[in-house]
Amino acid sequence: MSVTDEIKARIDLVSYVQRHVPSLKKAGRNHKACCPFHNEKTPSFIVNPERQTWHCFGACSEGGDIFTFAQKANGWDFKEALRELAAEAGVQLRAQTPEQKSESDRLDALRGLVNTASENFQRLLFDGDASSVLDYVRDGRGLSDETIRDFQLGFAPESWDWLLNSLRRLGYRDDDIVEVGLAVRSEKGRVYDRFRNRLMIPIRDGRGRVVGFGGRALGADELAKYINSPQSALFDKSRLLFGLDMGRRAIRESGTVVVVEGFMDVIQAHQAGYLNVVAQMGTAMTASQIQLLAPQLASKIVLALDADEAGQNAARRSLEVARETLSQDYAGRMSVDLRVLQMPDGKDPDDFLRRSPAAWDALVAGAPDVADFVLDSETVLLADDASVLEREAVALRLLPILMASENNIYRQENIQKLARRLRFSERDLMALAQDRQPIQRPAGAQAPPSDAPPDFWADDGGTLPPEASESGEQSVGAEAASASDRPAERAIEPYCLSLLLKNPNLLYLVNRRLRELAGGDDDLLRGPLRALGVEDFTQSEYRILMAHLQDSIAQDGRETLEYLESVIGDDLQAKYEALLVEPPEAVSQTLRRNFQVDLNDIFRRRLFRSGGRTSERDDLISRALELRLARLENERMEMQYLQEEAQAGGDGDQRHNDQLNAKIILSMRAKARINQAVSRRSLPTKQASIS
């Protein structure tokens, strides 16, 4: 039994969920409640005690096991959920190596040091000697004592060694104080405080632990208005969002996050009751920051950056990063609603919230979408008599963003807007987009296999050219084909995941097939025929590996396998390696010892082999469709139970019942299309029927 199976055997999902959802009640064979992850009046959140799974049939449309629930409810990643649930269940995780244990202990000690510094800064702010600073925070910045304490604001005095001496007295070493960025060591070896005469703003990670500081200058002669902690083992501002630890629940419940530029913008917003506001702590958002928000927390991101030129430039850069990060398959399409909030009258969010807090909601709701923002900002300075080349240059800058939408209607509307602004025909702009804008793919990812056969394609049943047979590749094809004929003998989930891990580009083909089956029906595309994902797998380890695979495709910093190996923890390593073992290693035994060949190239070429056998590519698509069928069947049954229990219990929400009916009908339509596709794939080939 694996560690995750042992944890699930010891912790009952119903009992665990009831801690977070006290209203969860037994209803027939299931338990139901209003979903804890979005606002609703009629229960659509189901927990199945037999399968130990949960699912929301409302706005979330998410589900999983105890690990996914713990992650979503607590804002944990898988490693955190595994660690916390293992401790609760009394399950021993794989022992850390001495080196890992030493590093973990060292980081814990550094976190303790930084937290102690935060407590010292806050204590000093409320000390009588800092009354002028406290008056500034209360009166000058308009913050209440409750807000000051919630954000643990503090004060660093005008001293070269106040903090240094305070920490030394507690036994902390100078080397550690320097390492976390609280002190600086000069070239001559002198150590002194980094933050002096500044309002100190602790910066916390997603788990609420202080990892660094932002220091706001209090003296008029300071050159830098703000200074942040330097990069360290604890602090990486490109992977942090200020206020996320306090706003996570509000972001998840509303589905919207507002991203501002500064610490005070966030603090002022939270004081006014707008908890779904975070700050990016830099000139533009990074891919890592966007992935902290979407899609697991927010379906809408509103950039509310300062109205000055620097803020608007940051917004443009953030949009470009978002366009590359929030991609689907390899088409560069954004899966999150991105909007840009332009602050009125040149105010920043802090100023606006202090003067008109009640108007913030309407301002955010009216934020224009990406297309309108970039059109306005890029064409405002374009002269009426601009040349064709000048207008074409603008079009080339805007087309990647305007085309980055999964919805054909939105793309068409964006092109129409651009055509009117630039005085081009829509046809010319579409041609320009196709000619000049290549499909965006994550760096290092291979192009998905073409639908057209390669130059070694054989129409006579798949026979390779003589040179391929002489090299021994014919035997490779036969061996590999027999391997792909055996998926019925193994579980479908590991079979599909194994192929996807070895060739992530195949995920593009699976998702393309799902889109083809949807036939342009947006309801099917957004619902039962959406892209293959985590929820198509039932085992915890496979769900997490699938999530890592999707992340590896979305990121653009490293090769897919390199990224996977860097994020997969010890507890998943054995499962991951097992999925990678066969069939490539088995095939390699059939190669002649003196024949040097790229195995990956062989398997890519095998995708186009014919001859009466199902190709690995087509077989994966069929098996993936079977996964989706099983998922849809489980969901349909639970929706029917939900309807029956609602009627038996006298729930009279007709609108909710109609919504469930619509989802059941949609699911049945999707199943019919998948069944038809799978049946066609299972029919014998012409060659087989003749024999």
Side-chain angles (χ1 to χ4, degrees):
M1 182 183 291
S2 69
V3 170
T4 55
D5 289 337
E6 190 173 355
I7 290 171
K8 288 196 283 188
R10 295 190 184 190
I11 303 178
D12 177 61
L13 177 62
V14 173
S15 300
Y16 186 84
V17 171
Q18 281 176 329
R19 299 181 213 165
H20 298 269
V21 190
S23 61
L24 186 71
K25 303 296 182 185
K26 183 171 176 58
R29 61 189 299 176
N30 295 319
H31 288 68
K32 70 175 182 178
C34 290
C35 180
F37 305 124
H38 75 279
N39 294 320
E40 64 178 10
K41 295 180 180 179
T42 304
S44 61
F45 178 83
I46 291 292
V47 178
N48 186 312
E50 297 173 7
R51 293 200 300 270
Q52 290 288 293
T53 59
W54 64 275
H55 196 95
C56 171
F57 292 100
C60 295
S61 293
E62 294 185 45
D65 56 11
I66 191 170
F67 290 96
T68 53
F69 184 86
Q71 288 176 252
K72 193 169 179 65
N74 299 289
W76 294 335
D77 59 22
F78 176 71
K79 291 181 181 178
E80 291 170 317
L82 181 65
R83 183 173 59 249
E84 298 293 337
L85 292 175
E88 179 176 334
V91 173
Q92 180 66 45
L93 296 179
R94 184 180 298 179
Q96 292 179 310
T97 65
E99 294 79 10
Q100 291 172 329
K101 181 68 166 60
S102 175
E103 178 64 10
S104 177
D105 291 344
R106 186 181 77 88
L107 293 177
D108 284 342
L110 294 179
R111 292 188 189 99
L113 189 163
V114 174
N115 190 64
T116 299
S118 178
E119 292 172 350
N120 284 353
F121 287 138
Q122 186 176 43
R123 191 178 302 115
L124 189 61
L125 177 61
F126 284 93
D127 189 285
D129 293 340
S131 58
S132 61
V133 180
L134 191 55
D135 289 342
Y136 160 74
V137 178
R138 288 168 172 163
D139 302 330
R141 308 301 306 194
L143 301 181
S144 67
D145 284 3
E146 181 182 7
T147 298
I148 295 170
R149 294 186 188 280
D150 284 347
F151 282 90
Q152 297 177 280
L153 303 186
F155 170 55
E158 183 67 64
S159 168
W160 292 95
D161 56 7
W162 175 82
L163 180 64
L164 196 58
N165 289 332
S166 299
L167 295 174
R168 283 169 173 166
R169 285 194 294 269
L170 294 172
Y172 290 108
R173 302 182 307 124
D174 285 6
D175 287 349
D176 292 335
I177 300 172
V178 171
E179 181 177 355
V180 297
L182 290 168
V184 178
R185 179 177 278 115
S186 70
E187 293 181 358
K188 295 182 179 180
R190 179 193 170 200
V191 179
Y192 56 89
D193 287 356
R194 177 182 297 275
F195 300 99
R196 302 180 302 279
N197 194 30
R198 289 182 178 269
L199 178 67
M200 298 301 294
I201 305 169
I203 301 169
R204 296 187 286 266
D205 64 13
R207 296 178 63 184
R209 302 174 298 190
V210 179
V211 293
F213 295 91
R216 205 272 187 200
L218 295 171
D221 57 344
E222 291 286 350
L223 295 178
K225 185 176 179 181
Y226 280 95
I227 60 173
N228 291 337
S229 294
Q231 183 90 3
S232 71
L234 299 182
F235 185 78
D236 181 352
K237 69 177 184 179
S238 69
R239 296 178 179 273
L240 295 166
L241 287 166
F242 180 72
L244 181 59
D245 61 304
M246 301 175 71
R248 184 184 300 274
R249 182 176 293 275
I251 294 169
R252 185 171 56 215
E253 289 176 352
S254 66
T256 299
V257 61
V258 182
V259 181
V260 295
E261 194 169 329
F263 303 118
M264 286 300 172
D265 298 329
V266 172
I267 296 172
Q268 199 65 244
H270 281 229
Q271 179 170 276
Y274 304 110
L275 305 184
N276 64 333
V277 180
V278 300
Q280 62 192 29
M281 293 190 301
T283 55
M285 290 192 75
T286 66
S288 297
Q289 289 172 330
I290 291 169
Q291 289 166 351
L292 288 174
L293 299 172
Q296 65 268 28
L297 290 180
S299 57
K300 178 192 288 187
I301 298 177
V302 181
L303 300 177
L305 306 185
D306 290 352
D308 57 17
E309 184 177 355
Q312 298 305 293
N313 288 336
R316 294 187 190 94
R317 290 194 297 275
S318 296
L319 289 175
E320 183 60 27
V321 172
R323 184 184 69 80
E324 296 173 358
T325 305
L326 301 172
S327 58
Q328 183 171 346
D329 299 332
Y330 296 93
R333 294 166 180 160
M334 291 184 288
S335 56
V336 171
D337 183 7
L338 268 176
R339 296 183 176 268
V340 182
L341 174 57
Q342 296 180 281
M343 300 303 300
D345 303 324
K347 294 185 178 71
D348 58 27
D350 178 24
D351 292 332
F352 184 91
L353 284 159
R354 274 194 277 171
R355 289 172 171 79
S356 310
W360 178 256
D361 261 341
L363 189 67
V364 172
D369 61 23
V370 171
D372 289 333
F373 170 76
V374 297
L375 280 169
D376 290 341
S377 61
E378 292 288 344
T379 61
V380 65
L381 298 179
L382 191 66
D384 292 338
D385 59 349
S387 68
V388 172
L389 288 178
E390 290 172 327
R391 287 180 283 139
E392 183 185 57
V394 172
L396 289 174
R397 289 199 301 271
L398 297 185
L399 280 169
I401 294 179
L402 297 182
M403 294 291 287
S405 170
E406 183 70 14
N407 191 308
N408 283 324
I409 296 175
Y410 292 145
R411 287 202 300 273
Q412 185 64 33
E413 182 182 9
N414 292 344
I415 291 298
Q416 289 172 354
K417 290 178 181 178
L418 184 62
R420 287 195 296 269
R421 295 284 184 95
L422 298 182
R423 305 190 302 281
F424 285 135
S425 71
E426 294 175 31
R427 180 180 299 177
D428 288 342
L429 285 179
M430 292 297 292
L432 188 62
Q434 294 172 0
D435 291 344
R436 301 294 184 91
Q437 298 300 319
I439 290 177
Q440 300 295 316
R441 297 184 178 89
Q446 299 163 351
S450 167
D451 282 338
D455 54 9
F456 53 83
W457 179 267
D459 289 327
D460 58 354
T463 305
L464 289 175
E467 61 269 26
S469 298
E470 291 172 3
S471 69
E473 188 168 339
Q474 186 66 45
S475 62
V476 171
E479 177 74 17
S482 64
S484 68
D485 280 344
R486 295 196 307 266
E489 301 172 8
R490 67 182 81 183
I492 295 178
E493 288 188 19
Y495 175 75
C496 291
L497 191 55
S498 174
L499 293 180
L500 291 173
L501 288 170
K502 291 171 192 141
N503 191 346
N505 293 321
L506 292 176
L507 184 59
Y508 166 82
L509 298 176
V510 173
N511 290 337
R512 186 177 65 185
R513 184 64 179 128
L514 288 168
R515 287 199 299 272
E516 288 172 353
L517 291 175
D521 187 318
D522 284 345
D523 290 334
L524 288 172
L525 281 170
R526 290 192 299 264
L529 292 180
R530 60 182 175 269
L532 192 76
V534 170
E535 291 186 8
D536 289 290
F537 295 84
T538 59
Q539 294 190 42
S540 299
E541 293 96 335
Y542 298 150
R543 293 171 68 94
I544 299 305
L545 287 171
M546 184 64 186
H548 285 321
L549 177 63
Q550 290 174 307
D551 289 344
S552 73
I553 293 172
Q555 61 88 36
D556 58 3
R558 286 177 281 182
E559 294 284 347
T560 300
L561 288 180
E562 180 189 350
Y563 175 87
L564 284 170
E565 289 167 2
S566 72
V567 298
I568 290 173
D570 293 339
D571 296 291
L572 288 174
Q573 191 65 37
K575 184 76 69 174
Y576 171 67
E577 291 174 354
L579 290 170
L580 291 180
V581 167
E582 200 244 349
E585 285 70 13
V587 174
S588 67
Q589 302 303 316
T590 69
L591 298 175
R592 297 178 182 177
R593 292 184 180 181
N594 61 349
F595 181 60
Q596 301 300 315
V597 67
D598 182 349
L599 288 179
N600 287 331
D601 182 62
I602 288 178
F603 281 91
R604 282 197 299 274
R605 293 177 68 182
R606 277 179 42 228
L607 299 182
F608 300 95
R609 296 288 303 277
S610 183
R613 291 191 181 273
T614 303
S615 74
E616 188 176 76
R617 175 190 67 177
D618 291 341
D619 194 53
L620 170 64
I621 292 174
S622 293
R623 301 301 172 181
L625 292 179
E626 290 178 31
L627 280 185
R628 178 58 55 86
L629 280 175
R631 169 183 163 184
L632 292 179
E633 179 60 21
N634 287 333
E635 291 179 357
R636 183 186 62 80
M637 290 174 60
E638 289 179 343
M639 283 189 286
Q640 288 179 337
Y641 286 132
L642 196 63
Q643 280 188 315
E644 293 168 4
E645 290 157 5
Q647 293 166 359
D651 292 349
D653 190 335
Q654 185 59 43
R655 182 168 174 268
H656 181 65
N657 195 57
D658 291 344
Q659 289 174 342
L660 284 173
N661 268 331
K663 287 190 174 185
I664 291 172
I665 293 171
L666 196 65
S667 177
M668 293 174 67
R669 285 175 54 202
K671 283 186 62 180
R673 296 189 185 196
I674 294 175
N675 277 322
Q676 188 176 17
V678 172
S679 297
R680 282 200 300 268
R681 285 292 309 126
S682 64
L683 289 174
T685 61
K686 262 186 200 178
Q687 188 176 1
S689 62
I690 292 173
S691 63

